[in-house]
Amino acid sequence: AQSVTQPDIHITVSEGASLELRCNYSYGATPYLFWYVQSPGQGLQLLLKYFSGDTLVQGIKGFEAEFKRSQSSFNLRKPSVHWSDAAEYFCAVRTTGTASKLTFGTGTRLQVTL
Amino acid sequence: NAGVTQTPKFRILKIGQSMTLQCTQDMNHNYMYWYRQDPGMGLKLIYYSVGAGITDKGEVPNGYNVSRSTTEDFPLRLELAAPSQTSVYFCASRREETVYEQYFGPGTRLTVT
C-alpha cells in the first residue's frame, strides 16, 4: 500500500533562513506526489505537485520540491522563509484504484522565529 | 466562485446526539471526499464519492454515513456521537479530468462531550 512518512514533527527556523521539509514515500511505480500547507484554523492549500517530467517542481509562495526516485523522497524547500510561512505542511501520495484517493503524511509543523 | 464550503465551523455535541456536517462545492467537481484530522495523525479518509448517487467507504467509516444526491452537496452524518469522533472534519473535491489535486474546505471543528 502507498504511504508517506514525514520524519520531522516540528521544525523551527529563523526568518530569512532556508528551509527543507522531508517526505519519503512508499510506492511501486512512479508516484503522484503533493505538498499541501495548512495555516492555523484553515483548510489545506495545494503548494505543488509532481506527476512526471522535470524532477524539480516549482510551487506557489516561493516553494519548490525535488523528486528523487533513488531516495524515495520528495522534499520541500524554500530559500528564504518568511514569518507568514509558519503553518503545518503535509506531504501526500495518490493511491491507485478508484477515485485516486490521497494518503497523507502526519505533517510537519513549521515555526518561524523573528 | 466560493469553492468548497462547510457548515458549521464549530459544534459541540453530547454523547449519543446526531448531526450532519454540510459540504457544498460550486466547481462542478465529480469527486468529493470527507476526511478527519486528529492531532499528529494527518488526515484520514472517511468516505468518498465519484459522482451523484455513488459513495464508498474510506479508511475510517465507522460511525458515519454519507449521501450524494446532487453533484454539489456531500453531507456527512454522525449517528450516536462518541468522544472518539472529536476531530476536525474536512471536505474536499476534485474534477475528474484534472491531475488529482483536491480542493479543501475550511473545516468543521467538532467536540463530543
Side-chain angles (χ1 to χ4, degrees):
Chain A
Q2 298 87 357
S3 65
V4 289
T5 301
Q6 295 181 249
D8 303 306
I9 296 172
H10 184 240
I11 283 182
T12 300
V13 299
S14 300
E15 188 174 42
S18 63
L19 171 70
E20 183 168 24
L21 302 182
R22 296 184 291 166
C23 172
N24 294 100
Y25 67 88
S26 171
Y27 193 82
T30 299
Y32 287 17
L33 294 159
F34 306 82
W35 274 101
Y36 281 85
V37 61
Q38 184 182 29
S39 298
Q42 304 297 314
L44 278 72
Q45 181 183 21
L46 181 68
L47 280 176
L48 47 78
K49 61 195 179 204
Y50 171 79
F51 299 134
S52 64
D54 194 346
T55 56
L56 185 64
V57 294
Q58 302 297 322
I60 62 172
K61 305 185 180 189
F63 285 91
E64 65 179 27
E66 186 171 12
F67 171 68
K68 292 185 177 180
R69 184 188 300 277
S70 61
Q71 298 177 19
S72 298
S73 68
F74 188 57
N75 294 350
L76 182 71
R77 302 195 295 244
K78 188 169 185 179
S80 177
V81 170
H82 188 263
W83 65 266
S84 61
D85 293 324
E88 187 139 22
Y89 292 80
F90 292 94
C91 184
V93 63
R94 172 207 159 210
T95 61
T96 55
T98 58
S100 292
K101 302 179 286 294
L102 295 179
T103 297
F104 287 85
T106 51
T108 297
R109 181 166 297 277
L110 174 65
Q111 183 176 357
V112 180
T113 58
L114 300 176
Chain B
N1 287 346
V4 181
T5 58
Q6 293 182 238
T7 57
K9 292 190 188 311
F10 304 93
R11 182 72 185 268
I12 299 174
L13 280 182
K14 294 189 184 302
I15 294 171
Q17 288 184 321
S18 301
M19 77 164 294
T20 299
L21 282 67
Q22 301 293 344
C23 174
T24 299
Q25 52 89 11
D26 62 358
M27 299 174 283
N28 200 33
H29 286 180
N30 288 318
Y31 290 76
M32 296 187 74
Y33 306 82
W34 272 108
Y35 295 90
R36 60 177 288 169
Q37 183 184 30
D38 301 314
M41 298 296 291
L43 279 76
K44 299 293 184 184
L45 182 65
I46 304 171
Y47 270 95
Y48 65 96
S49 170
V50 302
I54 307 170
T55 63
D56 206 347
K57 296 177 181 178
E59 297 177 76
V60 290
N62 292 343
Y64 307 94
N65 279 299
V66 294
S67 59
R68 185 93 181 271
S69 57
T70 67
T71 299
E72 295 78 20
D73 300 308
F74 190 40
L76 177 71
R77 178 82 176 163
L78 279 71
E79 306 282 2
L80 298 175
S84 61
Q85 294 177 305
T86 294
S87 189
V88 181
Y89 293 84
F90 289 100
C91 180
S93 71
R94 76 173 177 92
R95 263 191 311 139
E96 185 168 7
E97 61 268 29
T98 58
V99 284
Y100 311 113
E101 60 256 44
Q102 296 180 15
Y103 298 85
F104 284 79
T108 294
R109 183 174 295 276
L110 175 67
T111 302
V112 182
T113 62

